[in-house]
Amino acid sequence: MLVLLPPSEGKAASGRGAPLKPESLSLPGLARARAAVLDELVGLCAADQEKAREVLGLSEGLRGEIAKNVELRTAGTRPAGEIYTGVLYDALDLASLDAAAKRRAGKSLLVFSGLWGAVRVGDRIPSYRCSMGVRLPGLGALGAYWRDPMARVMPEAAGDGLVLDLRSSAYAAAWKPKGELAERTASVRVLHSQLVDGVEKRSVVSHFNKATKGRMVRDLLVSGARPKGPAELVETLRGLGYVVEAEAPVRAGRPWSLDVVVTEIH
């Protein structure tokens, strides 16, 4: 099983480990594309702070993120699973997993990134600021930039197993599975169900959507479950206590759509 995750806007500080070693990152087929984004991002942030702030969509209070990007090649690193913070990663809580679950996380979790394309949680990276929604002056919109490189490496990364896609729409734009691979891909939406005047109302709640996805991935890792396809994933999640409504694709070459329905927000 390969689980596709979004990164987090907020990130932990760079670690005290050795500086970035691009050749050590997973998915080496992305190396040239990563180098191009890194070169432009560092150059932009070093040359013109105001322009960099505008391009990156940063408020005045986040100006310090620009200096962080300038030092990407020399800053210390830590595992990506420690760099990414926020609601989903707090709920996932990789650090508290037992050894077996951590091994499963290292093999199955893939975090999409505007700067790196995608990394595994064990890859050592510095803290940075560059979302997939950024449009760099030289490379253009990163969502579009990453499509060709990701299309070349993702089929091999996915192998012949289930792909659980938990990315937000901005990161999903960087790669969409096709053909037979799409048919064993399941995307998940979290819906909050509540009764209003005796009528059920459902809504998407951003914060709880992320928290539920984090807990769901954690439960899958801890359980050691290895669903082979979307239909088996549905049964696995139900066995773990989730209320899941599944929609099989109506046409060949399309992914499954899963709704996880919750009644409490926490």
Side-chain angles (χ1 to χ4, degrees), residues 10-219:
K11 298 175 181 68
S14 295
R16 296 182 178 181
L20 175 70
K21 296 179 180 178
E23 69 278 4
S24 72
L25 299 180
S26 302
L27 307 182
L30 299 178
R32 291 180 63 182
R34 286 170 176 152
V37 179
L38 181 63
D39 285 347
E40 182 164 359
L41 182 62
V42 171
L44 170 68
C45 292
D48 189 333
Q49 282 200 4
E50 282 305 315
K51 184 175 182 180
R53 191 166 70 85
E54 179 182 348
V55 168
L56 297 175
L58 301 177
S59 66
E60 180 64 33
L62 292 175
R63 184 180 290 272
E65 299 292 284
I66 299 170
K68 180 190 298 184
N69 284 347
V70 173
E71 299 175 351
L72 283 172
R73 293 192 179 91
T74 58
T77 58
R78 62 173 65 186
E82 297 178 12
I83 288 288
Y84 296 118
T85 59
V87 176
L88 188 154
Y89 292 90
D90 285 347
L92 175 53
D93 195 9
L94 288 168
S96 69
L97 293 174
D98 62 35
K102 284 181 179 178
R103 286 194 296 272
R104 288 190 282 270
K107 293 178 180 179
S108 63
L109 304 187
L110 195 65
V111 184
F112 272 59
S113 162
L115 174 54
W116 314 114
V119 292
R120 296 194 184 276
V121 292
D123 288 343
R124 299 191 67 92
I125 58 174
S127 187
Y128 68 96
R129 189 66 173 242
C130 184
S131 72
M132 193 66 80
V134 164
R135 179 182 293 273
L136 292 176
L139 297 177
L142 290 176
Y145 171 81
W146 281 111
R147 285 174 195 157
D148 285 346
M150 296 303 295
R152 290 193 291 269
V153 304
M154 283 302 298
E156 180 179 356
D160 58 2
L162 168 70
V163 177
L164 175 55
D165 190 353
L166 303 179
R167 297 172 296 166
S168 57
S169 58
Y171 291 89
W175 178 70
K176 295 182 180 180
K178 296 180 179 180
E180 181 272 337
L181 177 51
E183 294 173 6
R184 48 187 168 88
T185 297
S187 61
V188 173
R189 180 175 62 166
V190 178
L191 298 178
H192 177 222
S193 173
Q194 56 184 330
L195 288 178
V196 179
D197 296 328
V199 179
E200 184 192 27
K201 301 289 186 181
R202 292 184 175 184
S203 60
V204 176
V205 183
S206 177
H207 177 96
F208 191 63
N209 170 59
K210 296 174 183 177
T212 300
K213 288 179 177 178
R215 285 192 287 269
M216 184 173 65
V217 173
R218 181 182 177 86
D219 288 344

